[in-house]
Amino acid sequence: MAIFKDNSASHSDRSAWDRKRHRQLVEEAIKKNLGDIIAEESIIGQSKDKKIKIPIKGLKEYQFLYGKNTGGTASGNGQEQRGQVIGKAGDRDTQDTGQAGNAPGEDIYETDITLEELINYLFDDLQLPDLDRKKFAAIETERKFKRSGHQLKGIPPRLDKKQSVVEKLKRKQSAKRQENAIMPPISERIPFREEDLRYFRIKEELRPNSNAVVICIMDTSGSMDQTKKYLARSFYFLLYQFVRYKYENVEVVFISHSTEATEVNERDFFHRGESGGTNISSGYAKALEIIEQRYNPAIWNIYAFHCSDGDNWPGDNATAITLAKELCDISNLFGYGEITTGRIWNSTIRREYQEHITNEKFIIVTLERKEDIWPAFKRILEKDSSAGGDN
Amino acid sequence: MSNYSLTNLEYWNRRIEELVKNSRLNCYPQEFEIVDYEDMLCYEAYVGMPSHYPHWSFGKAYERQKTFYHYNLVGLPYEMVINSNPCLAYLMRENSILLQVLTMAHVYGHNDFFKNNRLFKRDTRAELVVEMFKAHADRVREYIHDPSIGPAKVERILDAAHALRFQVSRHGELPLPTPTELTQETTQPVPPRLKEDLLGFLAEKGGLTSWEQDLVNIVRVESLYFIPQIETKIMNEGWASYWHYKLLEELDLPQGMHLEFLQRHNLVVRPHERSINPYYIGFKMFESLAKSPGGRLGIMDIRVNERDQSFLRRYLTRELCEELHLFTYGVQDDNVIIKDISDEDGWKKVRDKFADSVGLGNVPIINPVAVEKGTLQLEHVFDGRELELGYAKETLKHVVDLWGAKVELTTDIANYRQIISCNEDKVIIIKDA
């Protein structure tokens, strides 16, 4: 007679450890593929809940297998004819999934994650504690004054005339009552006295400043090809996401420049190519002009970032440096990203920057391949955190 | 188990056992464990074993199973049985009483198959299985907890060994070499006994420390244990289905249960159009064999002697091929097209192609052939089917992990003999052979 065991009492989650490790590997794979993911995302106007499909490459369990084009055997419905087309190569329905043992299958793991989760993965990787986020928010504060009640002393502009009259009437009425009882009549006219005057009490309110603007400046001269723009775009995407993570109200400004700079929309920024030479300073001048007009540095946290291949017109270098310094002074962070696809030496402008700009809010990164984006971005954030810290 | 109790199960089991005893089945003692849905998923992830070494791939298996059930992509698991003595099987609490009865009958079929089939008798030791997996698990955990080793190093070796898990001897463990053979081997970079056992070769001759060798051997021994199951999937499921059907017909079930039985049974053995359902093929074959003259005795021998490949070659008749609507397909340009159907001209080709693709027939053979200046040379035994190149490259990297130096693989790509090489820095180069 068979033995029956009822094992429900000893329930244990034995797969927990392996699930956790699997999950970790999935997350690592997601991070490794960030370059692919972010490059395809539009920078702004994405809802936080938007789902992104991420193909995870790292989780396949590789083995020696036969290719998909080797054919096989299957059962049908009796209507099959020789030469009949039953599917496209690589279709999953025609795979012999039911066959024994060798279940390697197609291990394409696609995980749906939302943009929000993606950003969380990003910032988990940076190990920014929540604390930092709060600190960032409290650094820049905005003063606001609000009336709240009254006080006896104050400065003339805050005199509450209405309340002072009320106080005077109150005094007069009480004087009248007293007069009827014991006191001799007083004169007709009752003047204001010091004690009647009432001033507004002003409460000072500190509000964390949560406005930020990301100024994307890009060289769109002839030498910036699609690949370079693609790198720049991925970079701006991260920057935008990061700034949005820190501040409530984030605006983005796109400035494209060749020899002259114009403010453009996102589409034109990434897709419209121009030809001709490069005056980097024109982009900086435009940025300064826009800040001057719309984004008061006292209220706005400014993140400016410039991507270029560094082919500047030599005569413009001096002006570019001066304006870059100015941008550093009013920004939280000003970065220069040099995109050097297929080139090993650094450009002149980069050397000039390194030599002349000492402001700690300035940072230079070099982007050559997709894989460089994330490390470069991490360096920028480290910079931002240390600049925003206590030192 | 809301509508029935353990006593119910025991009642039905007693009746099944009586029928089993009067049949010609010859089973190990049976044990049933009643588990809930979560436990069942876990058992499935860990290949049914009560104890198994940890690795992330089992976590992945668990998540995948769970997702599939969640989206109803597969039916509920109601059958899980392992080749051990006593034979261990799980019954899921949530199943109806009929499903439990059906499962129990099905399990006795597998139990008999495990105990009697030639491959199982030769390559597995059922009485030691549970202990063996437990010992493996203990050792792997020991390495993980050893401060000088740790989880990352263990994982690296297990990843590599898993990638080659089916590149082992296809005919079970060979006898240990004699001292004379061992002396001869000193001059042979690839000893004959390891020529068709890549994983065994790497475990012995690769650049591994002793604990790494042990890990590779653990994976290899587990593969050897499972190969009989892989090689007899169609037979094993067909046999169990044939017997559950027969036993339940004889059980004289109350009408309601009988109806549910027929429904369930038909679900299990239905054809999967454009793929292969081993339950369906195996059931149909045993059913038809049993009906033939002398068949009821004949099938008892067949279950002892055959594996899927020989089973199909010998007993898949033209009538069966036609009845099962079997056909073969291939790829032309971008299309999957039907090549042969089971008619007068085609059925033998269909049968042979089918027989060649079952079990390990679907796993390419990669053998170590030589070692030259430290480089391990492998050969893909080419039979017209090309390797999936992307997978081959990545798998080769794992071979390098175990070998410790450069590895080269000769194979055919688009009708040209090519060598895929992977050096210690995991750089892959493909060149003409």
mmCIF file of all heavy atoms in Angstrom, chain A residues 109-143:
data_model
loop_
_atom_site.group_PDB
_atom_site.id
_atom_site.type_symbol
_atom_site.label_atom_id
_atom_site.label_comp_id
_atom_site.label_asym_id
_atom_site.label_seq_id
_atom_site.Cartn_x
_atom_site.Cartn_y
_atom_site.Cartn_z
ATOM 1 N N TYR A 109 13.712 36.911 -23.180
ATOM 2 C CA TYR A 109 12.993 37.389 -22.023
ATOM 3 C C TYR A 109 12.704 38.837 -22.245
ATOM 4 O O TYR A 109 13.610 39.645 -22.305
ATOM 5 C CB TYR A 109 13.871 37.243 -20.803
ATOM 6 C CG TYR A 109 13.347 36.209 -19.888
ATOM 7 C CD1 TYR A 109 13.528 34.882 -20.175
ATOM 8 C CD2 TYR A 109 12.634 36.572 -18.766
ATOM 9 C CE1 TYR A 109 13.032 33.921 -19.355
ATOM 10 C CE2 TYR A 109 12.131 35.607 -17.932
ATOM 11 C CZ TYR A 109 12.333 34.271 -18.237
ATOM 12 O OH TYR A 109 11.827 33.314 -17.412
ATOM 13 N N GLU A 110 11.467 39.166 -22.398
ATOM 14 C CA GLU A 110 11.188 40.580 -22.518
ATOM 15 C C GLU A 110 10.436 40.990 -21.279
ATOM 16 O O GLU A 110 9.437 40.407 -20.919
ATOM 17 C CB GLU A 110 10.371 40.856 -23.768
ATOM 18 C CG GLU A 110 11.241 40.870 -24.989
ATOM 19 C CD GLU A 110 10.625 41.668 -26.113
ATOM 20 O OE1 GLU A 110 9.393 41.786 -26.122
ATOM 21 O OE2 GLU A 110 11.369 42.184 -26.946
ATOM 22 N N THR A 111 10.956 41.963 -20.630
ATOM 23 C CA THR A 111 10.317 42.414 -19.415
ATOM 24 C C THR A 111 9.677 43.756 -19.691
ATOM 25 O O THR A 111 10.294 44.623 -20.284
ATOM 26 C CB THR A 111 11.359 42.581 -18.311
ATOM 27 O OG1 THR A 111 12.077 41.372 -18.202
ATOM 28 C CG2 THR A 111 10.720 42.910 -17.007
ATOM 29 N N ASP A 112 8.458 43.875 -19.287
ATOM 30 C CA ASP A 112 7.825 45.188 -19.368
ATOM 31 C C ASP A 112 8.168 45.958 -18.128
ATOM 32 O O ASP A 112 7.851 45.534 -17.031
ATOM 33 C CB ASP A 112 6.300 45.028 -19.405
ATOM 34 C CG ASP A 112 5.826 44.666 -20.789
ATOM 35 O OD1 ASP A 112 6.558 44.986 -21.749
ATOM 36 O OD2 ASP A 112 4.754 44.084 -20.896
ATOM 37 N N ILE A 113 8.815 47.073 -18.282
ATOM 38 C CA ILE A 113 8.963 47.914 -17.110
ATOM 39 C C ILE A 113 8.539 49.325 -17.471
ATOM 40 O O ILE A 113 8.579 49.722 -18.630
ATOM 41 C CB ILE A 113 10.392 47.906 -16.540
ATOM 42 C CG1 ILE A 113 11.367 48.516 -17.519
ATOM 43 C CG2 ILE A 113 10.823 46.522 -16.166
ATOM 44 C CD1 ILE A 113 12.690 48.797 -16.871
ATOM 45 N N THR A 114 8.131 50.064 -16.484
ATOM 46 C CA THR A 114 7.705 51.423 -16.773
ATOM 47 C C THR A 114 8.911 52.337 -16.717
ATOM 48 O O THR A 114 9.953 51.990 -16.175
ATOM 49 C CB THR A 114 6.681 51.919 -15.748
ATOM 50 O OG1 THR A 114 7.321 51.933 -14.474
ATOM 51 C CG2 THR A 114 5.472 51.015 -15.691
ATOM 52 N N LEU A 115 8.725 53.500 -17.291
ATOM 53 C CA LEU A 115 9.781 54.492 -17.294
ATOM 54 C C LEU A 115 10.217 54.783 -15.864
ATOM 55 O O LEU A 115 11.396 54.901 -15.567
ATOM 56 C CB LEU A 115 9.247 55.762 -17.951
ATOM 57 C CG LEU A 115 10.264 56.684 -18.580
ATOM 58 C CD1 LEU A 115 11.105 55.944 -19.583
ATOM 59 C CD2 LEU A 115 9.556 57.840 -19.250
ATOM 60 N N GLU A 116 9.215 54.850 -15.000
ATOM 61 C CA GLU A 116 9.492 55.126 -13.598
ATOM 62 C C GLU A 116 10.414 54.080 -12.979
ATOM 63 O O GLU A 116 11.397 54.392 -12.329
ATOM 64 C CB GLU A 116 8.163 55.138 -12.843
ATOM 65 C CG GLU A 116 8.319 55.274 -11.346
ATOM 66 C CD GLU A 116 7.848 56.617 -10.875
ATOM 67 O OE1 GLU A 116 6.689 56.936 -11.147
ATOM 68 O OE2 GLU A 116 8.629 57.348 -10.254
ATOM 69 N N GLU A 117 10.102 52.812 -13.255
ATOM 70 C CA GLU A 117 10.932 51.728 -12.733
ATOM 71 C C GLU A 117 12.336 51.811 -13.310
ATOM 72 O O GLU A 117 13.325 51.581 -12.628
ATOM 73 C CB GLU A 117 10.328 50.369 -13.093
ATOM 74 C CG GLU A 117 9.172 49.983 -12.219
ATOM 75 C CD GLU A 117 8.458 48.749 -12.732
ATOM 76 O OE1 GLU A 117 8.134 48.709 -13.936
ATOM 77 O OE2 GLU A 117 8.215 47.841 -11.938
ATOM 78 N N LEU A 118 12.375 52.151 -14.578
ATOM 79 C CA LEU A 118 13.666 52.278 -15.254
ATOM 80 C C LEU A 118 14.521 53.328 -14.550
ATOM 81 O O LEU A 118 15.695 53.109 -14.243
ATOM 82 C CB LEU A 118 13.435 52.677 -16.707
ATOM 83 C CG LEU A 118 14.676 52.879 -17.556
ATOM 84 C CD1 LEU A 118 15.335 51.554 -17.837
ATOM 85 C CD2 LEU A 118 14.333 53.562 -18.863
ATOM 86 N N ILE A 119 13.886 54.440 -14.267
ATOM 87 C CA ILE A 119 14.603 55.512 -13.583
ATOM 88 C C ILE A 119 15.048 55.039 -12.203
ATOM 89 O O ILE A 119 16.144 55.347 -11.751
ATOM 90 C CB ILE A 119 13.702 56.766 -13.461
ATOM 91 C CG1 ILE A 119 13.247 57.220 -14.843
ATOM 92 C CG2 ILE A 119 14.412 57.878 -12.738
ATOM 93 C CD1 ILE A 119 14.338 57.499 -15.825
ATOM 94 N N ASN A 120 14.173 54.260 -11.573
ATOM 95 C CA ASN A 120 14.568 53.743 -10.261
ATOM 96 C C ASN A 120 15.780 52.831 -10.345
ATOM 97 O O ASN A 120 16.660 52.888 -9.507
ATOM 98 C CB ASN A 120 13.410 52.997 -9.603
ATOM 99 C CG ASN A 120 12.388 53.974 -9.075
ATOM 100 O OD1 ASN A 120 12.721 55.141 -8.838
ATOM 101 N ND2 ASN A 120 11.164 53.539 -8.922
ATOM 102 N N TYR A 121 15.810 51.997 -11.388
ATOM 103 C CA TYR A 121 16.982 51.150 -11.590
ATOM 104 C C TYR A 121 18.215 52.026 -11.722
ATOM 105 O O TYR A 121 19.262 51.760 -11.160
ATOM 106 C CB TYR A 121 16.847 50.329 -12.864
ATOM 107 C CG TYR A 121 15.980 49.113 -12.731
ATOM 108 C CD1 TYR A 121 15.088 48.770 -13.723
ATOM 109 C CD2 TYR A 121 16.074 48.303 -11.613
ATOM 110 C CE1 TYR A 121 14.293 47.650 -13.609
ATOM 111 C CE2 TYR A 121 15.285 47.174 -11.493
ATOM 112 C CZ TYR A 121 14.397 46.861 -12.493
ATOM 113 O OH TYR A 121 13.613 45.751 -12.384
ATOM 114 N N LEU A 122 18.054 53.088 -12.505
ATOM 115 C CA LEU A 122 19.179 53.990 -12.729
ATOM 116 C C LEU A 122 19.697 54.535 -11.421
ATOM 117 O O LEU A 122 20.890 54.512 -11.136
ATOM 118 C CB LEU A 122 18.743 55.176 -13.590
ATOM 119 C CG LEU A 122 18.361 54.876 -15.022
ATOM 120 C CD1 LEU A 122 17.905 56.139 -15.712
ATOM 121 C CD2 LEU A 122 19.553 54.309 -15.754
ATOM 122 N N PHE A 123 18.783 55.021 -10.611
ATOM 123 C CA PHE A 123 19.233 55.702 -9.409
ATOM 124 C C PHE A 123 19.614 54.744 -8.294
ATOM 125 O O PHE A 123 20.425 55.075 -7.455
ATOM 126 C CB PHE A 123 18.206 56.750 -8.983
ATOM 127 C CG PHE A 123 18.082 57.816 -10.028
ATOM 128 C CD1 PHE A 123 16.905 58.038 -10.698
ATOM 129 C CD2 PHE A 123 19.201 58.557 -10.388
ATOM 130 C CE1 PHE A 123 16.824 58.997 -11.699
ATOM 131 C CE2 PHE A 123 19.124 59.506 -11.391
ATOM 132 C CZ PHE A 123 17.928 59.728 -12.037
ATOM 133 N N ASP A 124 19.050 53.534 -8.371
ATOM 134 C CA ASP A 124 19.526 52.499 -7.451
ATOM 135 C C ASP A 124 21.001 52.250 -7.688
ATOM 136 O O ASP A 124 21.796 52.100 -6.775
ATOM 137 C CB ASP A 124 18.806 51.176 -7.710
ATOM 138 C CG ASP A 124 17.483 51.122 -7.014
ATOM 139 O OD1 ASP A 124 17.193 52.102 -6.296
ATOM 140 O OD2 ASP A 124 16.756 50.142 -7.184
ATOM 141 N N ASP A 125 21.331 52.217 -8.959
ATOM 142 C CA ASP A 125 22.698 51.941 -9.350
ATOM 143 C C ASP A 125 23.634 53.018 -8.824
ATOM 144 O O ASP A 125 24.780 52.773 -8.491
ATOM 145 C CB ASP A 125 22.753 51.879 -10.872
ATOM 146 C CG ASP A 125 24.088 51.370 -11.359
ATOM 147 O OD1 ASP A 125 24.627 50.475 -10.693
ATOM 148 O OD2 ASP A 125 24.581 51.863 -12.377
ATOM 149 N N LEU A 126 23.136 54.219 -8.752
ATOM 150 C CA LEU A 126 23.967 55.323 -8.271
ATOM 151 C C LEU A 126 24.056 55.345 -6.765
ATOM 152 O O LEU A 126 24.843 56.088 -6.188
ATOM 153 C CB LEU A 126 23.348 56.646 -8.725
ATOM 154 C CG LEU A 126 23.373 56.845 -10.224
ATOM 155 C CD1 LEU A 126 22.562 58.062 -10.578
ATOM 156 C CD2 LEU A 126 24.788 57.006 -10.692
ATOM 157 N N GLN A 127 23.193 54.552 -6.140
ATOM 158 C CA GLN A 127 23.151 54.489 -4.682
ATOM 159 C C GLN A 127 22.960 55.852 -4.054
ATOM 160 O O GLN A 127 23.656 56.241 -3.119
ATOM 161 C CB GLN A 127 24.413 53.815 -4.154
ATOM 162 C CG GLN A 127 24.520 52.409 -4.683
ATOM 163 C CD GLN A 127 25.742 51.697 -4.208
ATOM 164 O OE1 GLN A 127 26.804 52.300 -4.142
ATOM 165 N NE2 GLN A 127 25.604 50.435 -3.885
ATOM 166 N N LEU A 128 22.067 56.593 -4.635
ATOM 167 C CA LEU A 128 21.677 57.866 -4.038
ATOM 168 C C LEU A 128 20.616 57.566 -3.008
ATOM 169 O O LEU A 128 19.555 57.090 -3.358
ATOM 170 C CB LEU A 128 21.016 58.751 -5.098
ATOM 171 C CG LEU A 128 21.882 59.487 -6.089
ATOM 172 C CD1 LEU A 128 20.995 60.237 -7.049
ATOM 173 C CD2 LEU A 128 22.807 60.444 -5.385
ATOM 174 N N PRO A 129 20.888 57.786 -1.752
ATOM 175 C CA PRO A 129 19.823 57.539 -0.786
ATOM 176 C C PRO A 129 18.722 58.585 -0.922
ATOM 177 O O PRO A 129 18.954 59.661 -1.479
ATOM 178 C CB PRO A 129 20.520 57.647 0.554
ATOM 179 C CG PRO A 129 21.783 58.363 0.300
ATOM 180 C CD PRO A 129 22.116 58.253 -1.146
ATOM 181 N N ASP A 130 17.567 58.253 -0.401
ATOM 182 C CA ASP A 130 16.456 59.198 -0.459
ATOM 183 C C ASP A 130 16.821 60.524 0.157
ATOM 184 O O ASP A 130 16.383 61.578 -0.250
ATOM 185 C CB ASP A 130 15.244 58.635 0.305
ATOM 186 C CG ASP A 130 14.494 57.664 -0.566
ATOM 187 O OD1 ASP A 130 14.839 57.590 -1.761
ATOM 188 O OD2 ASP A 130 13.598 56.998 -0.047
ATOM 189 N N LEU A 131 17.609 60.408 1.205
ATOM 190 C CA LEU A 131 18.062 61.574 1.937
ATOM 191 C C LEU A 131 18.626 62.640 1.007
ATOM 192 O O LEU A 131 18.357 63.821 1.126
ATOM 193 C CB LEU A 131 19.168 61.102 2.878
ATOM 194 C CG LEU A 131 19.445 61.967 4.078
ATOM 195 C CD1 LEU A 131 18.462 61.605 5.164
ATOM 196 C CD2 LEU A 131 20.858 61.695 4.559
ATOM 197 N N ASP A 132 19.409 62.168 0.059
ATOM 198 C CA ASP A 132 20.017 63.097 -0.873
ATOM 199 C C ASP A 132 18.993 63.869 -1.663
ATOM 200 O O ASP A 132 19.147 65.025 -1.932
ATOM 201 C CB ASP A 132 20.912 62.344 -1.862
ATOM 202 C CG ASP A 132 22.276 62.117 -1.270
ATOM 203 O OD1 ASP A 132 22.375 62.301 -0.046
ATOM 204 O OD2 ASP A 132 23.193 61.776 -2.010
ATOM 205 N N ARG A 133 17.952 63.145 -1.992
ATOM 206 C CA ARG A 133 16.949 63.801 -2.790
ATOM 207 C C ARG A 133 16.336 64.961 -2.017
ATOM 208 O O ARG A 133 16.120 66.035 -2.527
ATOM 209 C CB ARG A 133 15.875 62.793 -3.178
ATOM 210 C CG ARG A 133 14.927 63.332 -4.179
ATOM 211 C CD ARG A 133 13.936 62.295 -4.606
ATOM 212 N NE ARG A 133 12.987 62.913 -5.521
ATOM 213 C CZ ARG A 133 12.010 62.262 -6.090
ATOM 214 N NH1 ARG A 133 11.847 60.997 -5.874
ATOM 215 N NH2 ARG A 133 11.177 62.880 -6.882
ATOM 216 N N LYS A 134 16.085 64.720 -0.748
ATOM 217 C CA LYS A 134 15.497 65.779 0.066
ATOM 218 C C LYS A 134 16.455 66.946 0.203
ATOM 219 O O LYS A 134 16.071 68.106 0.154
ATOM 220 C CB LYS A 134 15.124 65.236 1.438
ATOM 221 C CG LYS A 134 13.884 64.397 1.399
ATOM 222 C CD LYS A 134 13.528 63.920 2.790
ATOM 223 C CE LYS A 134 12.637 62.695 2.711
ATOM 224 N NZ LYS A 134 13.228 61.533 3.350
ATOM 225 N N LYS A 135 17.699 66.580 0.373
ATOM 226 C CA LYS A 135 18.709 67.617 0.528
ATOM 227 C C LYS A 135 18.737 68.513 -0.702
ATOM 228 O O LYS A 135 18.753 69.724 -0.609
ATOM 229 C CB LYS A 135 20.078 66.966 0.748
ATOM 230 C CG LYS A 135 21.139 67.900 1.228
ATOM 231 C CD LYS A 135 22.356 67.138 1.708
ATOM 232 C CE LYS A 135 23.068 66.527 0.522
ATOM 233 N NZ LYS A 135 24.227 65.736 0.897
ATOM 234 N N PHE A 136 18.694 67.855 -1.838
ATOM 235 C CA PHE A 136 18.704 68.643 -3.071
ATOM 236 C C PHE A 136 17.562 69.633 -3.081
ATOM 237 O O PHE A 136 17.715 70.788 -3.403
ATOM 238 C CB PHE A 136 18.512 67.730 -4.288
ATOM 239 C CG PHE A 136 19.723 66.935 -4.630
ATOM 240 C CD1 PHE A 136 19.625 65.569 -4.826
ATOM 241 C CD2 PHE A 136 20.951 67.554 -4.754
ATOM 242 C CE1 PHE A 136 20.738 64.840 -5.146
ATOM 243 C CE2 PHE A 136 22.065 66.812 -5.076
ATOM 244 C CZ PHE A 136 21.957 65.461 -5.269
ATOM 245 N N ALA A 137 16.408 69.130 -2.680
ATOM 246 C CA ALA A 137 15.230 69.970 -2.765
ATOM 247 C C ALA A 137 15.321 71.151 -1.823
ATOM 248 O O ALA A 137 14.737 72.193 -2.062
ATOM 249 C CB ALA A 137 13.997 69.134 -2.457
ATOM 250 N N ALA A 138 16.040 70.986 -0.729
ATOM 251 C CA ALA A 138 16.065 72.045 0.268
ATOM 252 C C ALA A 138 17.198 73.047 0.063
ATOM 253 O O ALA A 138 17.248 74.066 0.721
ATOM 254 C CB ALA A 138 16.174 71.434 1.662
ATOM 255 N N ILE A 139 18.071 72.745 -0.821
ATOM 256 C CA ILE A 139 19.208 73.646 -0.997
ATOM 257 C C ILE A 139 18.772 75.040 -1.421
ATOM 258 O O ILE A 139 19.049 76.026 -0.776
ATOM 259 C CB ILE A 139 20.169 73.114 -2.088
ATOM 260 C CG1 ILE A 139 20.717 71.772 -1.676
ATOM 261 C CG2 ILE A 139 21.291 74.103 -2.326
ATOM 262 C CD1 ILE A 139 21.336 71.043 -2.837
ATOM 263 N N GLU A 140 18.055 75.040 -2.497
ATOM 264 C CA GLU A 140 17.621 76.325 -3.016
ATOM 265 C C GLU A 140 16.248 76.593 -2.437
ATOM 266 O O GLU A 140 15.342 75.797 -2.590
ATOM 267 C CB GLU A 140 17.522 76.250 -4.536
ATOM 268 C CG GLU A 140 18.839 75.980 -5.211
ATOM 269 C CD GLU A 140 19.772 77.163 -5.158
ATOM 270 O OE1 GLU A 140 19.257 78.307 -5.201
ATOM 271 O OE2 GLU A 140 20.994 76.965 -5.048
ATOM 272 N N THR A 141 16.114 77.712 -1.753
ATOM 273 C CA THR A 141 14.796 77.967 -1.204
ATOM 274 C C THR A 141 14.256 79.286 -1.706
ATOM 275 O O THR A 141 14.991 80.176 -2.097
ATOM 276 C CB THR A 141 14.803 78.006 0.321
ATOM 277 O OG1 THR A 141 15.850 78.873 0.698
ATOM 278 C CG2 THR A 141 15.028 76.634 0.900
ATOM 279 N N GLU A 142 12.966 79.381 -1.657
ATOM 280 C CA GLU A 142 12.321 80.568 -2.161
ATOM 281 C C GLU A 142 11.634 81.209 -0.975
ATOM 282 O O GLU A 142 10.932 80.552 -0.221
ATOM 283 C CB GLU A 142 11.286 80.115 -3.192
ATOM 284 C CG GLU A 142 10.901 81.159 -4.157
ATOM 285 C CD GLU A 142 9.886 80.603 -5.133
ATOM 286 O OE1 GLU A 142 9.666 79.376 -5.141
ATOM 287 O OE2 GLU A 142 9.300 81.393 -5.863
ATOM 288 N N ARG A 143 11.801 82.513 -0.797
ATOM 289 C CA ARG A 143 11.126 83.183 0.315
ATOM 290 C C ARG A 143 9.779 83.689 -0.151
ATOM 291 O O ARG A 143 9.643 84.233 -1.227
ATOM 292 C CB ARG A 143 11.954 84.385 0.776
ATOM 293 C CG ARG A 143 13.087 84.009 1.678
ATOM 294 C CD ARG A 143 14.115 85.096 1.642
ATOM 295 N NE ARG A 143 15.264 84.646 2.417
ATOM 296 C CZ ARG A 143 15.441 84.969 3.698
ATOM 297 N NH1 ARG A 143 14.564 85.719 4.340
ATOM 298 N NH2 ARG A 143 16.497 84.548 4.335
#
